[in-house]
Amino acid sequence: MSNSVLESLVAGNKHHVEHLDADYFEGVRDSQEPQVVSIGCSDSRVPVEALWNTNKAGVLFKSVNVANQVWTEVDGTLVVNDVVGYAVASLGVSDIVVLGHTGCGGITAAYESVVGDGAKDLPVAVEAAVSRLVPLVEEARELGLFDEDTPTDDAVNRLVEYAVVRQVEFLTESDEVPESTDCWGFVYDFQHAYGDDDGAAYLVAANGDSDPETVVEWVPDEFACRVKSIR
């Protein structure tokens, strides 16, 4: 009996081993000192390491979950999640990246829950994750980011950006994150919501700021086109 998926995984690892540089793990076999922790979505369309052209071991510490959430709930209180907490407390990372993406399913589920478009029944843990996003959707509606006339795709993508911005604010205000830590918020675009370049990551928040005129000051002039907002 054979399994085509398992076979492809094993074959893929064989290719990985055969093409790995001999010094790939040099200096990081016994410990790691990554500079960056990235919190991304579990979505299969978001290649976390490839989109930053990060191909070295020990560079990027990663968390992927439903809708790239930097927080979790403990005893009824939102706290930084385990991956971020470990990265800042034990690894001493200098930078945190919140990486959202257009067309996010988790954000869509939260949006549907709020507007009453028939949100699907979800597994308990997924429902809990989505419920942590609902307050952001409600806030955004109160702020006028969307209304009943806003096309769903547009509303979801505005909410993706809003959620990234709010989570960067959460990190910068958290006592669990050292003040010296830089916090960046990006949206990875494959729906041409921000521009025509497939796979471009747009900087939408920087250390708590989300005004593009302020955020753009953090990047070299040649990358100014990667600072945008659709809210």
Side-chain angles (χ1 to χ4, degrees), residues 108-192:
T108 300
Y111 167 79
E112 291 175 346
S113 176
V114 170
V115 301
D117 278 354
K120 301 175 182 178
D121 290 333
L122 300 170
V124 174
V126 180
E127 182 62 42
V130 171
S131 71
R132 294 194 290 272
L133 301 169
V134 166
L136 298 183
V137 177
E138 293 173 336
E139 288 176 10
R141 182 168 62 176
E142 288 294 319
L143 291 170
L145 265 66
F146 69 93
D147 57 30
E148 63 273 8
D149 296 323
T150 308
T152 298
D153 290 348
D154 291 344
V156 167
N157 285 335
R158 293 176 195 175
L159 287 167
V160 165
E161 181 179 320
Y162 183 72
V164 168
V165 168
R166 291 288 288 114
Q167 289 185 85
V168 170
E169 292 174 352
F170 174 83
L171 290 170
T172 59
E173 295 168 2
S174 173
D175 292 336
E176 298 176 275
V177 178
E179 291 184 6
S180 60
T181 307
D182 284 321
C183 301
W184 315 111
F186 287 88
V187 176
Y188 182 70
D189 185 16
F190 48 75
Q191 294 187 335
H192 299 172

Side-chain angles (χ1 to χ4, degrees), residues 40-42 65-70 99-101 104-107 133 163 167:
C41 184
S42 304
N65 57 53
V66 173
N68 46 271
Q69 296 186 56
V70 303
L99 177 64
H101 69 89
C104 179
I107 294 292
L133 301 169
Q167 289 185 85

Side-chain angles (χ1 to χ4, degrees), residues 4-231:
S4 60
V5 173
L6 177 60
E7 182 178 347
S8 69
L9 292 172
V10 175
N13 180 247
K14 180 175 182 291
H15 180 274
H16 171 69
V17 171
E18 291 174 347
H19 291 80
L20 209 59
D21 291 339
D23 62 351
Y24 183 75
F25 290 104
E26 190 68 31
V28 296
R29 289 189 187 277
D30 301 317
S31 63
Q32 59 174 326
E33 295 181 352
Q35 289 183 299
V36 182
V37 56
S38 169
I39 305 91
C41 184
S42 304
D43 195 291
S44 62
R45 298 167 291 182
V46 183
V48 179
E49 290 175 315
L51 74 89
W52 304 123
N53 192 29
T54 303
N55 56 10
K56 292 184 178 180
V59 173
L60 190 66
F61 201 67
K62 302 172 291 296
S63 170
V64 293
N65 57 53
V66 173
N68 46 271
Q69 296 186 56
V70 303
W71 49 43
T72 190
E73 190 171 326
V74 177
D75 297 330
T77 301
L78 284 182
V79 297
V80 297
N81 74 18
D82 52 342
V83 174
V84 178
Y86 182 77
V88 297
S90 298
L91 299 179
V93 299
S94 61
D95 294 71
I96 303 174
V97 170
V98 184
L99 177 64
H101 69 89
T102 51
C104 179
I107 294 292
T108 300
Y111 167 79
E112 291 175 346
S113 176
V114 170
V115 301
D117 278 354
K120 301 175 182 178
D121 290 333
L122 300 170
V124 174
V126 180
E127 182 62 42
V130 171
S131 71
R132 294 194 290 272
L133 301 169
V134 166
L136 298 183
V137 177
E138 293 173 336
E139 288 176 10
R141 182 168 62 176
E142 288 294 319
L143 291 170
L145 265 66
F146 69 93
D147 57 30
E148 63 273 8
D149 296 323
T150 308
T152 298
D153 290 348
D154 291 344
V156 167
N157 285 335
R158 293 176 195 175
L159 287 167
V160 165
E161 181 179 320
Y162 183 72
V164 168
V165 168
R166 291 288 288 114
Q167 289 185 85
V168 170
E169 292 174 352
F170 174 83
L171 290 170
T172 59
E173 295 168 2
S174 173
D175 292 336
E176 298 176 275
V177 178
E179 291 184 6
S180 60
T181 307
D182 284 321
C183 301
W184 315 111
F186 287 88
V187 176
Y188 182 70
D189 185 16
F190 48 75
Q191 294 187 335
H192 299 172
Y194 290 81
D196 295 330
D197 291 338
D198 278 333
Y202 292 88
L203 185 64
V204 299
N207 289 324
D209 292 320
S210 57
D211 180 351
E213 292 185 2
T214 302
V215 174
V216 75
E217 296 177 2
W218 287 94
V219 300
D221 291 344
E222 64 181 301
F223 299 119
C225 62
R226 291 293 186 251
V227 177
K228 287 188 179 180
S229 173
I230 59 172
R231 292 185 293 144

